C-alpha cells in the first residue's frame, strides 16, 4: 500500500507510461488494490499460498509484453519474482529491482517466520539469490541509504545502484482540520497530556513490548503522559494485558483506523515512537515527520538512516534498548519546547521524500 501513492503520482505526471501487476490484492487481510483511475493495474490470478503463489500471466508478460523497462519488487524469493528475473534475462529485456534492505546477517530471531532470516541454509540461499539478481539486473532501486549500503556490500557495482525510497503524500499532514485533531484528543482523553504515538502491526518484530515496558516506567512517575497505539495484530491481547492496571486509562489501543483519519491521529500526538527490531524501511516514519513529530526509533529501521538525525529531530537507539526508550521519552516529556523544535526539523527533512521528489 505504501507504494501506491508514488505509482499514482508517476502515472499522473504523464512522462512515463505505467502498468502494474499485483501478486496479491490484499495486504495483511485488507483489500488494497487501486482503481484504474489511480494507474493501470490488475491483480494477477495465481496458484499457491500467499506471497509464494505462482502467476503464469507474469511469465507471459516477461516474454511477450512490449514494455521498455520491467521493475520487480516485493518478495524476491517468490517463484514469480525468480521466474520473471530469469525469463527477462534470457530474453535480454531491460529490468530492474526495487528492494528494501534485506534481513541483517547478524540478526536471527527465533520468532521470525522467515526461513531466510532464521535458518543457516535459508540465509545462504537468500544471499545467493540476491547476488544473482545484482549480477543480472540492469539497475537496483534501493529503498533507502541502508539498502544501498547493504547491496553494495553484497557486490553490486555503484553504477547499478540508485536511491528510490518509499515516498508518500506528505502534504496530507499539512492542513489537517483542527476540529478533527481536537476530536481525537477528546475521544482518547489526551488533553493536558504529553502524547506518545505508535503506528504499526502488533507483532513481535515491531518491538511494541519494549515501548510498553518503557512507558509503564514513565507513566508510573508522571501523570501527564499518554500512549496511543494505532494498528492491530496477533500480539494485541497480550500487549494490552501487559499494561499496568494503574496506568491502563492512559494507554489507548485503537486498532486499525481509516486511511483518511491517520493525519488527525498523528497531529494529535507530541512524539512518535517506533521501536522496531527490523524494518527494511518503515513508511510510518515518513508520516511522523510529515506530521512534524520528533521520532524515537532504532537503527534497525531503514528509514531512520535517512529521516532521523540523532539529537536533531529525534533519537536513534539500538533494538531492545528499553532503558534508552524510557530515558528519551522522559527527556522529551520534560522538554516540550525541544520536542516542538525537533518536530519542525522532521518536517523539513521529509520533504526529500515527497511525491514530487520521488
Amino acid at each position: 500500500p505504501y507504494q501506491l501513492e508514488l505509482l499514482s503520482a508517476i502515472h499522473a505526471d504523464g512522462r512515463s507510461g505505467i502498468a502494474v501487476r499485483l501478486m496479491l490484492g490484499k495486504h495483511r487481510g485488507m483489500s488494497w488494490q487501486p482503481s484504474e483511475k489511480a494507474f493501470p493495474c490488475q491483480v494477477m490470478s495465481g496458484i499457491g499460498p500467499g506471497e509464494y503463489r505462482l502467476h503464469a500471466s507474469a511469465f507471459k508478460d516477461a516474454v511477450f509484453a512490449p514494455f521498455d523497462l520491467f521493475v520487480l519488487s516485493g518478495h524476491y524469493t517468490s517463484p514469480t519474482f525468480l521466474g520473471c528475473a530469469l525469463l527477462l534475462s534470457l530474453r535480454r529485456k531491460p529490468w530492474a529491482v526495487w528492494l528494501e534492505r534485506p534481513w541483517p546477517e547478524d540478526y536471527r530471531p527465533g520468532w521470525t517466520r522467515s526461513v531466510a532470516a532464521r535458518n543457516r541454509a535459508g540465509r545462504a540461499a537468500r544471499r545467493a539469490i540476491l547476488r544473482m539478481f545484482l549480477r543480472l539486473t540492469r539497475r537496483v532501486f534501493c529503498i533507502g541509504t541502508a539498502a544501498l549500503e547493504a547491496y553494495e556490500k553484497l557486490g553490486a557495482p555503484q553504477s547499478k545502484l540508485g536511491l528510490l525510497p518509499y515516498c508518500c503524500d506528505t502534504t496530507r499532514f499539512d492542513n489537517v482540520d483542527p476540529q478533527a485533531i481536537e476530536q481525537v484528543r477528546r475521544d482518547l482523553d489526551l488533553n493536558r497530556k504529553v502524547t506518545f504515538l505508535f503506528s504499526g502491526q502488533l507483532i513481535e518484530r515491531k518491538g511494541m513490548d519494549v515501548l510498553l515496558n518503557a512507558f509503564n516506567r514513565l507513566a508510573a512517575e508522571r501523570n501527564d503522559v499518554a500512549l496511543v497505539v494505532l494498528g492491530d495484530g496477533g500480539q494485541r491481547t497480550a500487549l494490552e494485558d501487559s499494561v499496568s492496571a494503574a496506568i491502563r486509562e492512559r494507554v489507548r489501543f485503537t486498532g486499525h483506523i481509516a486511511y483518511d483519519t491517520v493525519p488527525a491521529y498523528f497531529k494529535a500526538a507530541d512524539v512518535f515512537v517506533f521501536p522496531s527490531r527490523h524494518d527494511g524501511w518503515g513508511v510510518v516514519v515518513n508520516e511522523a515527520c510529515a506530521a512534524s513529530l520528533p521520532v524515537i526509533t532504532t537503527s534497525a529501521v531503514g528509514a531512520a538512516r535517512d529521516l532521523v538525525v540523532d539529537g536533531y529531530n529525534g533519537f536513534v537507539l539500538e533494538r531492545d534498548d528499553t532503558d534508552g526508550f524510557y530515558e528519551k521519552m522522559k527527556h522529551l516529556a520534560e522538554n516540550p519546547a525541544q520536542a516542538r523544535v525537533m518536530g519542525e526539523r522532521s518536517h523539513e527533512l521529509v520533504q526529500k521524500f515527497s511525491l514530487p521528489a520521488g
Side-chain angles (χ1 to χ4, degrees):
Y2 27 77
Q3 296 173 339
L4 302 189
E5 288 184 351
L6 178 57
L7 295 175
S8 297
I10 293 171
H11 176 62
D13 178 76
R15 284 177 289 177
S16 301
I18 187 171
V20 178
R21 310 287 189 257
L22 301 177
M23 288 194 283
L24 288 173
K26 291 189 175 182
H27 181 72
R28 295 167 188 161
M30 298 179 290
S31 178
W32 63 281
Q33 63 259 38
S35 68
E36 282 292 320
K37 293 181 180 178
F39 51 81
C41 173
Q42 68 181 58
V43 180
M44 300 181 293
S45 59
I47 303 171
E51 291 86 358
Y52 298 97
R53 304 176 86 191
L54 192 65
H55 303 84
S57 62
F59 302 147
K60 182 179 178 181
D61 276 344
V63 175
F64 297 110
F67 299 121
D68 296 307
L69 176 67
F70 295 78
V71 181
L72 306 181
S73 187
H75 288 263
Y76 59 82
T77 54
S78 74
T80 297
F81 198 118
L82 285 164
C84 285
L86 293 174
L87 284 170
L88 290 167
S89 297
L90 290 170
R91 299 283 294 176
R92 298 186 180 277
K93 292 189 176 185
W95 63 281
V97 290
W98 185 25
L99 297 175
E100 296 180 3
R101 176 178 62 173
W103 276 94
E105 296 301 326
D106 61 348
Y107 187 54
R108 304 188 295 274
W111 46 262
T112 179
R113 293 183 301 170
S114 171
V115 174
R118 186 177 63 247
N119 178 275
R120 180 177 295 180
R123 292 197 304 276
R126 181 193 67 192
R127 287 195 300 271
I129 291 169
L130 277 174
R131 288 195 171 102
M132 178 188 71
F133 286 152
L134 298 177
R135 185 175 67 255
L136 295 176
T137 189
R138 182 167 297 189
R139 191 77 170 162
V140 183
F141 299 136
C142 302
I143 301 173
T145 301
L148 188 147
E149 292 171 348
Y151 293 120
E152 186 175 16
K153 188 175 181 181
L154 280 166
Q158 288 186 346
S159 59
K160 282 188 178 183
L161 299 173
L163 277 176
L164 184 57
Y166 289 140
C167 297
C168 59
D169 183 7
T170 58
T171 63
R172 68 193 188 101
F173 293 85
D174 287 341
N175 297 298
V176 184
D177 183 355
Q179 292 185 343
I181 299 171
E182 182 56 34
Q183 186 66 50
V184 169
R185 295 191 65 85
R186 190 163 50 244
D187 290 346
L188 300 181
D189 190 23
L190 304 178
N191 291 321
R192 296 179 299 280
K193 294 184 180 70
V194 178
T195 301
F196 297 91
L197 175 72
F198 168 91
S199 179
Q201 283 184 289
L202 300 185
I203 56 176
E204 192 160 359
R205 178 168 62 84
K206 297 294 183 177
M208 187 62 203
D209 54 313
V210 173
L211 172 54
L212 282 178
N213 287 335
F215 184 78
N216 272 327
R217 290 171 59 184
L218 180 62
E221 299 173 4
R222 301 178 63 100
N223 293 321
D224 63 341
V225 293
L227 173 63
V228 176
V229 181
L230 307 183
D232 214 332
Q235 281 202 317
R236 178 173 176 176
T237 300
L239 290 169
E240 287 180 322
D241 290 344
S242 73
V243 179
S244 166
I247 66 166
R248 195 157 290 162
E249 292 302 312
R250 287 182 279 150
V251 180
R252 302 296 186 182
F253 287 81
T254 69
H256 288 299
I257 60 171
Y259 174 83
D260 58 357
T261 66
V262 167
Y265 280 86
F266 272 73
K267 297 293 282 188
D270 299 292
V271 179
F272 185 73
V273 189
F274 191 56
S276 178
R277 294 179 167 106
H278 172 73
D279 260 273
W281 177 256
V283 78
V284 289
V285 179
N286 299 56
E287 295 176 327
C289 290
S292 300
L293 295 177
V295 178
I296 308 174
T297 187
T298 72
S299 58
V301 175
R305 182 75 168 75
D306 295 278
L307 276 172
V308 186
V309 179
D310 189 52
Y312 180 75
N313 70 312
F315 300 102
V316 181
L317 306 168
E318 295 305 307
R319 65 168 70 92
D320 292 314
D321 184 2
T322 301
D323 290 342
F325 276 91
Y326 158 74
E327 291 165 2
K328 298 308 181 186
M329 291 166 68
K330 180 178 180 180
H331 175 79
L332 291 181
E334 293 174 346
N335 297 277
Q338 183 186 9
R340 285 192 292 272
V341 171
M342 284 184 160
E344 293 169 1
R345 293 168 178 167
S346 288
H347 191 267
E348 293 172 5
L349 287 172
V350 81
Q351 300 314 310
K352 296 184 295 182
F353 304 93
S354 65
L355 289 181

